Amino acid sequence: MSKVLTTAVLAVGLALPATAAIADTADKRIALSNNYAGNSWRQAMLKSWGKVGDQAVADGVIAAADAFTTAENQVTEQAAQIQNLILQGYDAIVINAASPDALNGAVKEACDAGITVVSFDGIVTEPCAWRIAVDFKQMGKDEVLYLSEKVPNGGALLEIRGLAGVFVDDEISAGIHEGVAETSGFEVVGSVHGDWAQDVSQKAVAGILPSLPEITAVVTQGGDGFGAAQAFKAAGRPIPLIIMGNRHDELTWWKEQKDASGYETMSVSIAPGVSTLAMWVAQQILDGQDIPKDLTVPFLRIDQDNLEENLANTEVGGVANVEYTLEDAQAVVNAAR
Amino acid sequence: MAAARTAARLATRLLERPWLWAFAAAFLVWLATIIFTKGQGGGEILSAALAFGTFSVIVGIGQMYVITLGPGNVDLSIPATMTFAGAASMKIMATQDSMIVVGLLIALACGAAIGVFNYGLIRLMRIPPIIATLSSSFVFQSAAIAYGRGIKIKPPPSLADFTTARIAGFPILAICTVILALVMTVVLHKTVYGRSVIAIGQNARAAKLSGIAVDFTRFVTYVMCATLAGLCGFVLSGFSGGASLNMGAEFLLASIAVVVIGGTSVAGGFANIPGLWGAALFMFLLVTMLNTFGLGAGIRLVMTGLIIITVITVAGGKSTDR
């Protein structure tokens, strides 16, 4: 018996160096625990995961990259899902979390079971997990910095916020207000919650618009730019400079305005393909690399001159996207070191 | 003297109308808004309220009929139905003006089919309506996701123009919906079907014993509610530049809220349609008012809750004498 075991260990030991050139993770299985799939960003995120994951499996880099999504966007549901993934014996769990702290118990259980946990976008605060976070505050600030270049004299701003009570909304808004404080001449004269949805934004902007003075620019959080444009058009008001959020409808509208009247703006958001970045980071950790616990996701920014190129690469109804490679992930890791 | 007495009697009768409170609340909120803006934009705000209130009223009518059927009756599949019907019709029309009628029929057919499915679950599988419509909404929301994959297809130009057109500040869609509301009022109060709905809501057993076709009436009501949700998904997609996966989300609560704030009894058996309009305008104007005041999100949500509770308490206090 022990002889057979020794032979097996030896065989594995001999076999390993040969495959190590590709990766030591060929037998590792990675799961994606996702809390929500009901919008175009999340759909693109899952699609990118599927595409890059399948390729990685086909190339023999990892053994599996399975995606699991909960139906109700509930913390309890996702905690149960993570426990199931632990029982199924995955080597790494990549999480887009419904809550930054409420899943910590389940995440700790996974860590204790020797599973690598990487959270991204919706990160978790449990110290044993890796975090690939977005600097949302900087994103909001960048919008105002762009405006101060474009409109040096300043003017009245309308702010469209996201979903009230969500951390991301607070961060982007804080960045916008920080930017307004640091530059001169801008004032936020109105603020509405658009829930990152085009129809909700349209409704909210249409409601507040009649009571506002002339608006110089609209600062947004993504998904709301086209709705704002429609509300301005319906009210018969001059269209201000509206910051966009990389959605296909927003980019299409921008392109139409650009062709018709030379309309200028910029668009910034996070590429849904950040899920693939998280997958590569998980693979690198499984590979034994020393990866810092806190990493930052690069923004995907679209400007006047690369609009056409990005629009052409964006699926109809989707979000401008980038799928990350192993090299991209290594670059992000090196930047954090 | 006689004229004065008639006027007094009219005023008393008007005060007894449960829908009056929703309109009064809407008016007060509007007044507070334009006092704050010093009269600026009062007309435009009303016009926007009519335009956006339309969608809540369309789904509200269906929900009101369902709720009037009596305790436990509610349709939670409205958001999924809207999304599915909107996505299917936009995809099939493929921005062609010539396909608008086909698209409309598809949207209505999607709605009707979901209604039949819902009632099948309720009647044949004996599942309570809340559970049945909630679970069917999972099925159809997932179907919409699988079918559309988040794709947002623009509506045909003529449909977009029609749904956003205005005559002298009045949205055409709102005018059409006022007519729809009038028709459904007549149906509710003057037809055998409408009176059956109310009778079942007041006492299903008594209704059955007196020979009312209870099953058939409930079947028609669930199908009609889902069909109206399909219609709403269709026009909302036209209005907002395409169908999106989360377009129905806010109408789950909105459809129930306009029914309740409008003065319809949650316990069933007592409905009124004008209140839907009052409540829909109120809901939009309330958010507009709080946005205009520039209050923080937390205070806005608390205020929304408190004001809605106040309106329902004031309006409900009247109808409990019944």
Side-chain angles (χ1 to χ4, degrees):
Chain A
M1 182 64 205
S2 72
K3 197 179 174 191
V4 177
L5 203 66
T6 320
T7 321
V9 169
L10 269 178
V12 171
L14 287 175
L16 264 179
T19 54
I22 306 166
D24 286 336
T25 55
D27 59 342
K28 303 287 188 190
R29 295 161 66 227
I30 302 179
L32 169 66
S33 161
N34 175 38
N35 64 318
Y36 184 61
N39 61 33
S40 54
W41 197 93
R42 291 295 178 115
Q43 285 295 320
M45 183 193 96
L46 289 169
K47 206 179 248 180
S48 291
W49 173 276
K51 193 172 146 195
V52 175
D54 287 349
Q55 189 59 45
V57 171
D59 292 347
V61 182
I62 47 177
D66 304 322
F68 302 92
T69 300
T70 56
E72 273 285 78
N73 193 11
Q74 294 291 327
V75 167
T76 44
E77 215 186 346
Q78 195 172 15
Q81 184 199 51
I82 291 171
Q83 273 151 359
N84 283 334
L85 296 176
I86 297 171
L87 293 176
Q88 287 173 34
Y90 281 95
D91 299 290
I93 303 176
V94 174
I95 301 180
N96 194 343
S99 155
D101 41 27
L103 287 171
N104 282 354
V107 170
K108 187 77 174 50
E109 270 181 57
C111 293
D112 291 346
I115 297 169
T116 301
V117 180
V118 177
S119 63
F120 71 100
D121 187 38
I123 55 163
V124 295
T125 51
E126 169 57 45
C128 74
W130 275 260
R131 283 164 296 277
I132 306 180
V134 180
D135 192 350
F136 287 109
K137 204 167 177 181
Q138 189 61 42
M139 192 170 126
K141 203 168 163 182
D142 280 355
E143 292 187 18
V144 184
L145 295 179
Y146 168 83
L147 288 178
S148 69
E149 266 173 45
K150 212 79 211 163
V151 196
N153 294 332
L157 301 183
L158 169 62
E159 180 188 11
I160 305 182
R161 300 186 55 164
L163 204 55
V166 178
F167 148 88
V168 173
D169 168 58
D170 293 334
E171 285 291 299
I172 299 181
S173 183
I176 286 172
H177 286 269
E178 201 175 289
V180 167
E182 284 177 19
T183 55
S184 63
F186 287 108
E187 188 198 354
V188 177
V189 296
S191 168
V192 295
H193 281 269
D195 299 0
W196 301 306
Q198 177 251 348
D199 48 345
V200 181
S201 309
Q202 183 184 359
K203 187 169 169 178
V205 173
I208 197 175
L209 206 47
S211 65
L212 296 179
E214 182 158 341
I215 300 293
T216 306
V218 182
V219 282
T220 62
Q221 299 196 353
D224 38 18
F226 180 57
Q230 291 222 315
F232 274 90
K233 189 175 155 226
R237 309 248 307 203
I239 309 277
L241 196 164
I242 304 173
I243 305 278
M244 295 299 172
N246 291 4
R247 268 62 168 187
H248 183 265
D249 55 356
E250 296 176 329
L251 298 179
T252 310
W253 181 85
W254 176 11
K255 172 79 177 125
E256 285 166 13
Q257 305 302 310
K258 183 182 171 186
D259 291 345
S261 61
Y263 186 85
E264 286 189 26
T265 184
M266 71 97 149
S267 181
V268 64
S269 189
I270 306 303
V274 62
S275 59
T276 61
L277 182 69
M279 188 180 83
W280 287 121
V281 168
Q283 187 267 339
Q284 288 288 292
I285 298 167
L286 291 176
D287 198 28
Q289 304 289 327
D290 180 26
I291 310 273
K293 287 268 170 161
D294 286 286
L295 302 170
T296 308
V297 180
F299 301 126
L300 176 57
R301 178 171 163 162
I302 302 174
D303 279 292
Q304 203 71 7
D305 47 354
N306 59 4
L307 168 61
E308 283 78 8
E309 181 194 335
N310 276 292
L311 182 56
N313 289 335
T314 305
E315 199 177 335
V316 176
V319 188
N321 198 2
V322 176
E323 272 138 16
Y324 294 90
T325 60
L326 179 56
E327 289 72 33
D328 294 332
Q330 282 162 343
V332 168
V333 168
N334 287 332
R337 272 191 183 130
Chain B
M1 191 60 195
R5 206 177 302 150
T6 318
R9 203 180 304 147
L10 263 178
T12 323
R13 281 190 58 183
L14 195 63
L15 274 179
E16 281 169 2
R17 299 285 159 182
W19 47 261
L20 185 75
W21 300 98
F23 280 100
F27 177 73
L28 286 178
V29 166
W30 175 74
L31 204 63
T33 312
I34 59 164
I35 287 173
F36 186 84
T37 65
K38 300 183 183 68
Q40 187 197 338
E44 286 100 323
I45 291 177
L46 269 190
S47 180
L50 280 171
F52 288 96
T54 300
F55 306 108
S56 310
V57 172
I58 296 176
V59 290
I61 292 174
Q63 188 72 279
M64 189 201 70
Y65 269 84
V66 170
I67 287 178
T68 304
L69 283 174
N73 283 294
V74 69
D75 187 351
L76 301 184
S77 69
I78 284 178
T81 310
M82 289 174 61
T83 308
F84 186 74
S89 57
M90 289 303 129
K91 198 162 176 178
I92 286 165
M93 286 190 290
T95 74
Q96 300 297 310
D97 276 345
S98 56
M99 294 289 282
I100 289 181
V101 176
V102 179
L104 176 62
L105 291 177
I106 297 277
L108 295 178
C110 288
I114 294 173
V116 171
F117 183 77
N118 280 342
Y119 196 66
L121 292 180
I122 294 167
R123 184 72 185 86
L124 302 178
M125 317 287 282
R126 298 184 179 280
I127 302 174
I130 291 181
I131 309 295
T133 54
L134 189 63
S135 39
S136 86
S137 83
F138 282 131
V139 173
F140 292 105
Q141 183 74 31
S142 307
I145 291 175
Y147 184 65
R149 277 289 151 204
I151 285 180
K152 180 159 192 158
I153 301 176
K154 283 192 171 185
S158 302
L159 178 64
D161 290 345
F162 171 76
T163 47
T164 50
R166 284 185 161 88
I167 299 175
F170 287 97
I172 291 182
L173 208 54
I175 299 173
C176 294
T177 306
V178 168
I179 296 171
L180 175 70
L182 286 175
V183 171
M184 294 313 284
T185 308
V186 174
V187 168
L188 182 68
H189 295 297
K190 302 291 178 198
T191 65
V192 174
Y193 163 71
R195 292 186 170 201
S196 302
V197 170
I198 295 177
I200 293 169
Q202 285 171 0
N203 190 330
R205 193 168 161 74
K208 191 159 195 167
L209 291 175
S210 60
I212 289 174
V214 174
D215 268 332
F216 182 71
T217 307
R218 293 179 71 198
F219 171 75
V220 170
T221 307
Y222 275 94
V223 173
M224 180 191 72
C225 178
T227 310
L228 283 172
L231 173 69
C232 187
F234 179 76
V235 289
L236 182 59
S237 304
F239 181 81
S240 63
S244 54
L245 288 179
N246 41 9
M247 63 186 265
E250 61 172 326
F251 288 93
L252 179 58
L253 276 179
S255 69
I256 299 173
V258 293
V259 172
V260 176
I261 297 173
T264 293
S265 164
V266 190
F270 182 75
N272 87 88
I273 290 183
L276 293 177
W277 264 112
L281 295 178
F282 167 66
M283 295 290 282
F284 181 85
L285 291 169
L286 179 61
V287 175
T288 299
M289 177 185 81
L290 297 173
N291 274 338
T292 309
F293 288 0
L295 301 172
I299 299 177
R300 273 200 303 240
L301 290 176
V302 171
M303 293 271 291
T304 310
L306 289 179
I307 293 174
I308 290 175
I309 291 172
T310 310
V311 170
I312 293 182
T313 314
V314 172
K318 289 283 156 189
S319 58
T320 45
D321 308 339
R322 193 170 51 87

